[in-house]
Amino acid sequence: MALEAKKKWDLAAIASIPVIMTLANSMLIPILPLMEKKLNINSTQGSLIITVYAAVAIIFIPIAGYLSDRFGRKNVIIPSLIVAAAGGVVSGLGAWWFQGFTAYWIILAGRFIQGIGAAGAFPIVLPLIGDMFQNEEDVSSSLGIVETSNTMGKVLSPIVGSALALVLWYLPFLVIPPFCLVAIAAVARLVKVPKSASDRDSKVALGDFISGVKKLLKDEGRWLYAIFAIGGIAMFVLFGFLFYLSSILEDRYHIKGIWKGLLLSIPLVAVCLFSFIGGKFVGKNKPRMKWTTVAGIVIQSAALLAIAIWNPEQKLNLLILLSASGIGIGISLPCLDALITEGIEKEQRGTITSLYSSMRFIGVASGPLIAALIMSHIPALFYTFAAVSIAAGLTALLAIKPADSDNKSAK
C-alpha cells in the first residue's frame, strides 16, 4: 500500500532531520586526524569531539521523549533544532577565533550544546512517525525511509566533511546552523500533527507518568531491553569501525581528502541501501522483523569475525568485509525501529523510543573511544566487535518473541 499522498511532504520534512543530525556528527569522522594536528591533540582527545556530542544526548534524550509525550512532538523538535544550530555556531567560532587547547575546549562546549539539541531532534522522529500513520505497513515503510535518510546522512558525511575541510578545516561546524534553519522551516510548514496526538492530555502528573513507564518496562521489559541493547551494539560497531577505517586510510594507505571520504562512504552506502530494503521487506509482519534482524546480525558478525581472523592488508578486501557488515546493520535497524514503535501505545511512545535512542547514542559515543584505545591491536578490535555482535544476535533470537503480526504488541 502506498503512503498516504498528503503525508509524503510531511515525511520528507521529517526525514531531513536525521540527515542533518547525522551530518553534524559523522561529517567530523574523516577529518578528525586533521583536527588533531590543527589543535595539537592526540587521537583519544580527538575522539571526544564525537563522543561528547553523543554522551550529552544520552542524558537528555529521555527528557526530550517525556516532553514530546506531554507537549507534542513538534514543540520539542523545533526548539531542539535551534539549540543544535547554536552549538554549531559556538564550535565553529571557537575554531575560527582561537587556537590549540583553547579552541579545543570551546569546540567541546559547542558540541555539548549541540548534543542537547540532537537529543530532541532525531529521537523524536521515531514516535512522530508512529503517530502519523495508522497502518502498520505504512509505519514500517516510513521508518525504513527515515533509517535510510539517517544512513544517507552517514554516506554523505565523509564526502561532504572532507570537501568542506579542504576549504577550511572548521567549516563542517559552520554549515550545520543553516541546515538546521532549513529543517526548522520545513517541519514548521509541512508537518501536520495528527489530531489524536495533538489532543493528548498533557496534564498527567510526572509521578503518574513515571509509574506508567516503570510498569510498562516491568511488563514488556524482556523484548524492550533486548531491542535497546541490539540498537546500541549496532551503533557501537558502526561508529567504531568507521573511526578505525578513517584512521587506517590515512595512516596505512596515505589517502586523504575527497578520496578518503569516498572510500569511507562505501560501507555506509551498504547500510543505506539495505535499510531501505529492510523496511520495505518486513512490512507489518512482526515475526519477519525478528528473523530479518537475526539474519542481519549473522551477516554483520560473520564479516567482523573474518576481519579479526584474516586482518586483510589490501584495502579492497577490508572495504568488502566492512560493507558486508554494513549490509547486516542496515537490514536490522528498520526492523528494530518498527518493533519498538508499533509495540508501544502513543501516550508512552516518545519516552520508550527515546530510551532506545539513548542506547543507540551510547553506541555512537563509545564506538570511536574504544576503537581509539585498542586500534593498535587490530585483531583484538574486530574480535571485540564480533563478540558483541554475536551477543546481539543471541539476544534477538532468545528475547524478541513477536506475537501474530496482526496483534499490536511486539512481545
Side-chain angles (χ1 to χ4, degrees):
M1 182 183 295
L3 292 174
E4 299 171 43
K6 291 182 179 178
K7 292 183 179 177
K8 287 184 178 179
W9 284 109
D10 302 55
L11 185 58
I14 292 168
S16 71
I17 297 171
V19 173
I20 294 166
M21 292 299 98
T22 301
L23 282 172
N25 207 34
S26 301
M27 194 161 51
L28 303 180
I29 290 176
I31 62 172
L32 281 177
L34 175 60
M35 287 188 177
E36 290 160 11
K37 292 173 185 174
K38 293 289 185 180
L39 298 170
N40 195 26
I41 57 176
N42 60 39
S43 61
T44 303
Q45 290 167 326
S47 71
L48 289 177
I49 295 174
I50 302 294
T51 299
V52 72
Y53 173 92
V56 173
I58 292 163
I59 298 169
F60 284 91
I61 284 172
I63 299 171
Y66 164 71
L67 293 174
S68 80
D69 279 336
R70 185 165 182 178
F71 300 113
R73 314 298 185 205
K74 280 178 68 173
N75 293 332
V76 172
I77 287 174
I78 291 175
S80 296
L81 287 170
I82 294 171
V83 173
V89 170
V90 171
S91 291
L93 293 182
W96 185 6
W97 291 345
F98 299 93
Q99 294 181 341
F101 260 90
T102 302
Y104 173 66
W105 287 109
I106 295 173
I107 288 169
L108 288 185
R111 296 288 288 164
F112 184 99
I113 296 168
Q114 207 165 44
I116 296 173
F122 174 53
I124 309 304
V125 166
L126 300 182
L128 180 56
I129 292 293
D131 292 349
M132 285 175 57
F133 297 98
Q134 298 300 317
N135 185 294
E136 290 188 359
E137 192 167 348
D138 283 348
V139 173
S140 296
S141 179
S142 298
L143 289 169
I145 291 170
V146 166
E147 276 296 353
T148 302
S149 300
N150 183 21
T151 312
M152 181 59 72
K154 292 183 177 68
V155 171
L156 294 172
S157 291
I159 302 169
V160 174
S162 299
L164 291 172
L166 290 176
V167 182
L168 286 172
W169 69 269
Y170 52 83
L171 193 56
F173 294 124
L174 293 172
V175 298
I176 294 303
F179 287 170
C180 287
L181 293 178
V182 171
I184 289 166
V187 171
R189 182 172 179 80
L190 298 175
V191 176
K192 308 297 188 296
V193 179
K195 192 176 191 323
S196 60
S198 61
D199 288 345
R200 187 184 295 121
D201 182 10
S202 63
K203 297 182 180 179
V204 178
L206 178 59
D208 293 340
F209 184 87
I210 292 173
S211 297
V213 171
K214 284 182 177 178
K215 184 178 187 304
L216 176 64
L217 291 173
K218 181 179 179 181
D219 295 341
E220 311 286 351
R222 180 188 177 97
W223 67 272
L224 282 175
Y225 292 138
I227 291 175
F228 293 168
I230 297 165
I233 288 170
M235 291 297 102
F236 168 77
V237 170
L238 180 60
F239 275 79
F241 79 57
L242 285 175
F243 183 88
Y244 160 79
L245 183 58
S246 175
S247 299
I248 211 76
L249 285 174
E250 195 154 323
D251 296 340
R252 180 189 293 176
Y253 302 111
H254 309 293
I255 298 172
K256 302 179 182 180
I258 297 294
W259 283 110
K260 177 182 171 182
L262 287 168
L263 291 176
L264 271 173
S265 71
I266 291 173
L268 293 167
V269 169
V271 181
C272 181
L273 177 61
F274 282 85
S275 289
F276 182 76
I277 292 172
K280 290 287 187 183
F281 173 71
V282 297
K284 60 181 180 180
N285 188 317
K286 291 187 175 68
R288 186 182 292 177
M289 293 175 193
K290 170 184 174 168
W291 291 110
T292 302
T293 299
V294 172
I297 297 172
V298 168
I299 296 169
Q300 169 188 332
S301 303
L304 294 167
L305 195 58
I307 297 173
I309 295 170
W310 184 15
N311 191 13
E313 289 290 328
Q314 293 199 3
K315 60 179 177 292
L316 177 61
N317 295 328
L318 178 62
L319 286 169
I320 289 171
L321 288 171
L322 289 178
S323 297
S325 180
I327 288 171
I329 293 170
I331 289 171
S332 303
L333 288 177
C335 302
L336 299 173
D337 293 348
L339 281 168
I340 201 165
T341 302
E342 296 172 27
I344 300 298
E345 296 300 324
K346 290 184 178 181
E347 290 76 11
Q348 295 169 318
R349 187 175 286 157
T351 300
I352 297 302
T353 57
S354 72
L355 294 174
Y356 167 61
S357 295
S358 289
M359 285 302 299
R360 286 178 55 152
F361 268 83
I362 288 173
V364 172
S366 57
L369 189 59
I370 297 300
L373 291 174
I374 59 177
M375 200 161 56
S376 57
H377 305 284
I378 294 173
L381 176 63
F382 281 93
Y383 275 122
T384 300
F385 289 157
V388 295
S389 298
I390 291 168
L394 290 173
T395 301
L397 187 65
L398 299 174
I400 300 176
K401 296 186 176 180
D404 183 83
S405 61
D406 292 331
N407 293 341
K408 182 67 180 172
S409 175
K411 184 172 59 175

